[in-house]
Amino acid sequence: MPVGTVASVKGVSQDILEELGVQILLGNTYHLYLRPGVGQVRQLGGLHRFMAWPRAILTDSGGFQVFSLNELRKVTEEGVTFRSHLDGSAHFFSPESAMEAQIGLGADIMMAFDECTEFPADRERARQSMELTLGWAARSKKYFEAHKREVPWATDHIAPGVPTWAGERNLAGGGDDHKIAGQNLAELRSAGQVRTPAPTQTQALFGIVQGGMDPALRRESAERTVEIGFPGYAIGGLSVGEPRAVTREMVEATLPHLPADKPRYLMGVGTPEEIAEYANAGIDMMDCVLPTRAARHGLLFTSQGRLSIKQARFASDQGPLDSNCGCRVCRRYSRAYLRHLYAANEVLAQVLNTVHNLSFYLDTMRSVRHSIALGNRAQLLSGEQSGVKP
Amino acid sequence: MPVGTVASVKGVSQDILEELGVQILLGNTYHLYLRPGVGQVRQLGGLHRFMAWPRAILTDSGGFQVFSLNELRKVTEEGVTFRSHLDGSAHFFSPESAMEAQIGLGADIMMAFDECTEFPADRERARQSMELTLGWAARSKKYFEAHKREVPWATDHIAPGVPTWAGERNLAGGGDDHKIAGQNLAELRSAGQVRTPAPTQTQALFGIVQGGMDPALRRESAERTVEIGFPGYAIGGLSVGEPRAVTREMVEATLPHLPADKPRYLMGVGTPEEIAEYANAGIDMMDCVLPTRAARHGLLFTSQGRLSIKQARFASDQGPLDSNCGCRVCRRYSRAYLRHLYAANEVLAQVLNTVHNLSFYLDTMRSVRHSIALGNRAQLLSGEQSGVKP
């Protein structure tokens, strides 16, 4: 899931994302809450409509950035007080307000409000943090269940004029002649600009497993989160500075305790090698700023390994960036040109580098899906031959 | 002609430029000379190949930026000494070296080395500057005629090993098995990566008319430049701070003295209204940083006039940027989203804004061509009807 922080995967337009085969992207609730604001996005019909992205979106709860971007913060059982990194204004996030914000944004998948346990943390601290997250998970689910129909694209029949959120009229209420910012809902629908989900369709709220770097706590957190019950589960609190081997250990400690028939999402991971490894291990979804952020620093992933395009040795290299890559960048431009763009600080460097890195990541996942499918097919065939059900 | 300063129209990839219908773009010799360097571009096969642009390119001579970007410079009849704005290193441009640089870059059209007369300038100064430009025009043409076959994509048969420029082997010499940076010329040709012009095909060197803001000098400069003889002519030294009415006056004073059957290029102009006006008056080509630079500042041209997308009033505007525009930006994104991107300082703001502004400029020119064609057709029809040849 490419990270589209403030409703944009930096430098890459939505049609290029579609062409790359991006199926779902991530929006950061913390950033969108600050700018342009949840109310604004809600009023404009939700995040999909706002950014003209008809495919899937997942929003995080805001919890991580509240911790990572803010030194001055105060955590209580109630929630977290913090200051905007933009202008220093004071804000407060709780499980309830984080749910309200994400419902207003209207992503397909939203995340429970959790505490990303800092690293390192001793067992006592990791347990305390885990307990807080579990309490917050229950509150997240409770608020969500009570308010999930308030999503901007819901088509439930709610009487017009009944305020549902911050005094706003439910956008879908009132039938087809109800106006959204001056435009008739029926017109918008026929223009394909309104998603018309079934009345029972709502967002999916995923729970998040914490527990620090303690396998027993991880297991407990997983079991107790499953007990609360969510349609999908994430493993949070990793890639926070721990050694890679520990990350792997925690994933292995957690996975067996998450239902195999529900999506399993490893947050904030990773390199191309890691995403392939974890996907093969049973992880279904991952997000990471690495492909996009590295691209902006000229660090490009290729089938022959990473390279730093700024290096002088590429200045005369007429070959493609990656001869095994079929993306638009590799089919058209030379390394010499890409190197020049980066050295000249051209915006096109960021655009092309990002397009390639995303293509590389998505290709990697396609390969994993393909080999999983081949493995399944082989298994199926062998089962049929021996008369044993797979 | 969109300006692709250092081999890139800022933020917009070449495939999007093609889709927009860009037929020719401009490269700045001054910038390319400094970075990545003419030798580098030559070695990589010329500017088209370097930036993967198979359509037309025009390079300016470097004269303008030498003046506009450098306060400390020394002009003599020989040429101009100046310092790089990048690192302060000292350089020298003369008609000969400016031709050598442009031949090395290999654009389809290149410009004579001229002095862009400062504004304001009294008659004496304008005459002196004009005389310098005329002398330089003759020297430009002389050097060009002697060295035009040294263009990187020439297919003349020059014996391999004979140094032609800065000791470099002529890339085309030696036949198909001659290597260009390790790749066989025949391989490159069959991959469609080498332009194979006829042996007589070379670049076109255009002359430039100066004369300050004096109609008589402008006329004299035009006549004497035509006397030297070029396949096309530009009107330079305008849009340097003079009132618009004076620009128009100078164009009107010059046009009648430039051959109507050769391209007439007005440099550095203008707004959408101006480019339509001058195109209708007989100008064939124009370049201006306005569409791209304004875009980066959120200033967008629409069929209803200019707007500044950063304004708060657009924050809730769900409509397209320009309802009369068919570009990818207007067909997909709302003003609210574009405004958000700009306010959030997102790179995508620059990309989308530039795509729209370029589309608007190119649409404007398409309309002018269409009405000219209609006018011609009407004239033709009326001529046929009355038996008078048009």
Side-chain angles (χ1 to χ4, degrees):
Chain A
M1 301 183 284
V3 179
T5 320
V6 270
S8 170
V9 177
K10 294 188 183 309
V12 185
S13 59
Q14 275 68 315
D15 55 321
I16 295 181
L17 295 174
E18 282 171 339
E19 195 184 281
L20 287 171
V22 172
Q23 302 182 50
I24 175 170
L25 49 85
L26 185 145
N28 292 122
T29 299
Y30 168 84
H31 288 292
L32 291 164
Y33 164 89
L34 290 177
R35 181 168 61 184
V38 175
Q40 191 75 289
V41 176
R42 173 185 272 287
Q43 194 186 6
L44 292 161
L47 196 49
H48 294 84
R49 189 149 161 229
F50 177 59
M51 62 182 291
W53 178 251
R55 298 182 182 181
I57 300 177
L58 179 149
T59 49
D60 58 7
S61 66
F64 180 72
Q65 267 97 22
V66 160
F67 289 99
S68 68
L69 291 174
N70 296 275
E71 282 178 5
L72 289 170
R73 60 179 185 274
K74 193 166 131 99
V75 184
T76 66
E77 197 136 335
E78 266 307 296
V80 188
T81 320
F82 65 97
R83 291 199 173 275
S84 159
H85 70 288
L86 292 178
D87 63 5
S89 54
H91 299 271
F92 174 73
F93 268 6
S94 64
E96 291 76 20
S97 74
M99 294 310 101
E100 182 184 44
Q102 290 184 83
I103 291 169
L105 294 174
D108 301 83
I109 302 171
M110 48 189 273
M111 306 303 296
F113 187 67
D114 65 330
E115 179 177 61
C116 181
T117 313
E118 72 279 6
F119 175 81
D122 65 20
R123 200 170 199 276
E124 204 46 56
R125 167 67 195 130
R127 167 167 285 286
Q128 176 202 39
S129 179
M130 180 191 82
E131 294 286 353
L132 188 65
T133 287
L134 284 164
W136 284 356
R139 284 166 57 187
S140 296
K141 182 176 175 179
K142 186 175 172 189
Y143 186 94
F144 175 73
E145 291 300 326
H147 298 270
K148 61 190 179 185
R149 301 228 172 279
E150 291 156 29
V151 63
W153 39 262
T155 55
D156 284 14
H157 297 290
I158 296 177
V162 174
T164 50
W165 182 83
E168 288 181 63
R169 178 186 288 262
N170 179 288
L171 289 173
D176 277 358
D177 57 355
H178 179 80
K179 299 285 187 193
I180 296 175
Q183 280 181 287
N184 183 290
L185 192 57
E187 289 164 6
L188 291 168
R189 265 207 203 94
S190 53
Q193 285 186 351
V194 175
R195 313 171 87 225
T196 47
T200 51
Q201 190 166 338
T202 65
Q203 299 162 283
L205 172 66
F206 281 18
I208 305 179
V209 174
Q210 293 289 342
M213 307 301 158
D214 187 306
L217 285 179
R218 284 278 168 182
R219 172 177 179 158
E220 183 180 344
S221 175
E223 290 174 341
R224 291 171 62 184
T225 306
V226 172
E227 219 175 286
I228 296 171
F230 294 94
Y233 299 92
I235 304 175
L238 293 179
S239 269
V240 287
E242 78 280 7
R244 292 258 168 82
V246 177
T247 318
R248 200 175 305 129
E249 203 194 323
M250 292 308 106
V251 174
E252 285 168 5
T254 311
L255 265 179
H257 310 289
L258 295 177
D261 62 344
K262 293 195 159 76
R264 302 188 290 190
Y265 166 25
L266 178 54
M267 305 184 83
V269 164
T271 63
E273 297 77 24
E274 288 176 315
I275 63 173
E277 181 191 328
Y278 289 123
N280 275 308
I283 292 293
D284 302 300
M285 300 153 61
M286 284 164 285
D287 78 281
C288 194
V289 293
L290 186 55
T292 46
R293 188 173 287 168
R296 297 197 291 281
H297 293 101
L299 233 111
L300 304 172
F301 298 98
T302 79
S303 57
Q304 312 302 311
R306 308 176 190 206
L307 58 84
S308 173
I309 199 65
K310 67 177 78 163
Q311 289 181 353
R313 63 184 170 110
F314 296 120
S316 316
D317 193 337
Q318 303 208 54
L321 174 55
D322 184 355
S323 51
N324 289 320
C325 179
C327 82
R328 275 175 172 266
V329 177
C330 293
R331 276 186 284 134
R332 184 157 190 159
Y333 305 103
S334 65
R335 289 173 166 193
Y337 183 61
L338 295 175
R339 195 255 172 194
H340 159 69
L341 290 178
Y342 188 83
N345 208 28
E346 282 289 316
V347 167
L348 195 60
Q350 176 171 332
V351 176
L352 298 182
N353 291 349
T354 303
V355 169
H356 168 77
N357 270 4
L358 284 180
S359 182
F360 190 80
Y361 265 63
L362 294 165
D363 272 354
T364 301
M365 289 286 91
R366 263 188 283 271
S367 298
V368 171
R369 286 197 294 273
H370 185 64
S371 65
I372 288 174
L374 284 175
N376 288 348
R377 194 149 63 242
Q379 201 180 18
L380 184 73
L381 287 171
S382 63
E384 286 177 348
Q385 283 166 357
S386 65
V388 175
K389 273 193 191 294
Chain B
M1 300 181 285
V3 179
T5 320
V6 270
S8 170
V9 176
K10 293 187 183 311
V12 185
S13 58
Q14 275 69 313
D15 56 318
I16 295 181
L17 294 174
E18 282 171 338
E19 194 183 280
L20 287 172
V22 173
Q23 301 181 52
I24 175 169
L25 50 84
L26 185 144
N28 292 122
T29 299
Y30 167 84
H31 288 292
L32 292 164
Y33 164 89
L34 290 177
R35 182 169 58 184
V38 176
Q40 191 75 289
V41 176
R42 172 185 274 286
Q43 194 186 6
L44 292 161
L47 196 49
H48 294 85
R49 194 154 154 224
F50 177 59
M51 63 182 290
W53 179 251
R55 297 182 183 182
I57 300 177
L58 180 147
T59 50
D60 58 8
S61 66
F64 180 72
Q65 268 96 22
V66 160
F67 288 100
S68 68
L69 291 174
N70 294 276
E71 283 176 6
L72 289 170
R73 60 180 183 270
K74 193 165 130 94
V75 183
T76 66
E77 197 136 334
E78 265 309 296
V80 188
T81 319
F82 65 97
R83 290 197 174 276
S84 159
H85 70 289
L86 290 180
D87 62 7
S89 53
H91 298 272
F92 175 73
F93 268 8
S94 64
E96 291 76 20
S97 73
M99 294 308 102
E100 183 182 46
Q102 291 183 84
I103 291 170
L105 295 174
D108 301 82
I109 302 171
M110 47 188 274
M111 305 303 297
F113 188 67
D114 65 330
E115 179 178 62
C116 181
T117 313
E118 71 281 6
F119 175 82
D122 64 20
R123 199 169 198 277
E124 205 45 55
R125 168 66 194 130
R127 167 167 286 284
Q128 177 202 36
S129 177
M130 179 192 82
E131 295 287 352
L132 188 65
T133 286
L134 284 163
W136 284 358
R139 283 166 56 187
S140 296
K141 182 175 175 179
K142 185 175 172 190
Y143 186 94
F144 176 73
E145 291 299 327
H147 298 271
K148 60 189 179 186
R149 304 229 170 277
E150 291 154 30
V151 63
W153 39 261
T155 54
D156 286 13
H157 298 289
I158 295 176
V162 174
T164 50
W165 184 82
E168 288 179 65
R169 177 189 289 263
N170 179 286
L171 292 173
D176 279 357
D177 55 356
H178 180 78
K179 300 285 188 193
I180 295 177
Q183 281 182 284
N184 182 291
L185 194 57
E187 291 165 3
L188 290 169
R189 262 206 206 96
S190 54
Q193 286 187 352
V194 176
R195 313 170 86 223
T196 45
T200 51
Q201 189 167 340
T202 65
Q203 297 162 285
L205 172 66
F206 281 17
I208 305 179
V209 173
Q210 293 289 343
M213 306 302 158
D214 186 306
L217 286 178
R218 283 279 169 183
R219 173 178 178 155
E220 184 180 342
S221 174
E223 290 174 340
R224 290 172 62 184
T225 306
V226 171
E227 220 176 283
I228 298 172
F230 294 94
Y233 299 92
I235 303 175
L238 293 180
S239 269
V240 288
E242 78 280 6
R244 290 258 169 83
V246 175
T247 317
R248 200 175 305 130
E249 205 195 321
M250 292 309 107
V251 173
E252 285 168 5
T254 312
L255 266 178
H257 310 288
L258 295 177
D261 61 347
K262 294 196 161 75
R264 302 187 290 188
Y265 166 25
L266 177 54
M267 305 184 83
V269 165
T271 64
E273 297 77 22
E274 287 175 316
I275 63 172
E277 181 190 327
Y278 289 124
N280 275 308
I283 292 293
D284 303 300
M285 298 153 62
M286 284 165 284
D287 78 280
C288 194
V289 293
L290 185 56
T292 46
R293 188 172 288 168
R296 296 197 291 281
H297 292 100
L299 233 110
L300 306 172
F301 298 98
T302 78
S303 58
Q304 313 302 310
R306 305 174 192 210
L307 59 85
S308 174
I309 198 66
K310 67 176 77 162
Q311 288 179 354
R313 63 185 171 110
F314 296 120
S316 315
D317 193 336
Q318 302 208 54
L321 175 55
D322 185 356
S323 49
N324 291 320
C325 179
C327 81
R328 275 173 171 267
V329 177
C330 293
R331 276 187 285 133
R332 183 157 191 159
Y333 305 101
S334 65
R335 289 173 166 193
Y337 183 61
L338 294 174
R339 195 255 172 193
H340 159 69
L341 289 178
Y342 189 82
N345 208 29
E346 282 288 316
V347 166
L348 194 59
Q350 176 172 330
V351 175
L352 298 182
N353 292 348
T354 302
V355 168
H356 168 77
N357 271 3
L358 284 180
S359 182
F360 190 80
Y361 265 63
L362 294 165
D363 273 354
T364 301
M365 289 287 93
R366 263 188 281 271
S367 298
V368 171
R369 285 196 295 273
H370 185 63
S371 65
I372 289 173
L374 284 175
N376 287 348
R377 195 149 61 243
Q379 202 178 16
L380 185 73
L381 288 170
S382 65
E384 286 179 347
Q385 283 167 356
S386 66
V388 176
K389 273 192 192 298

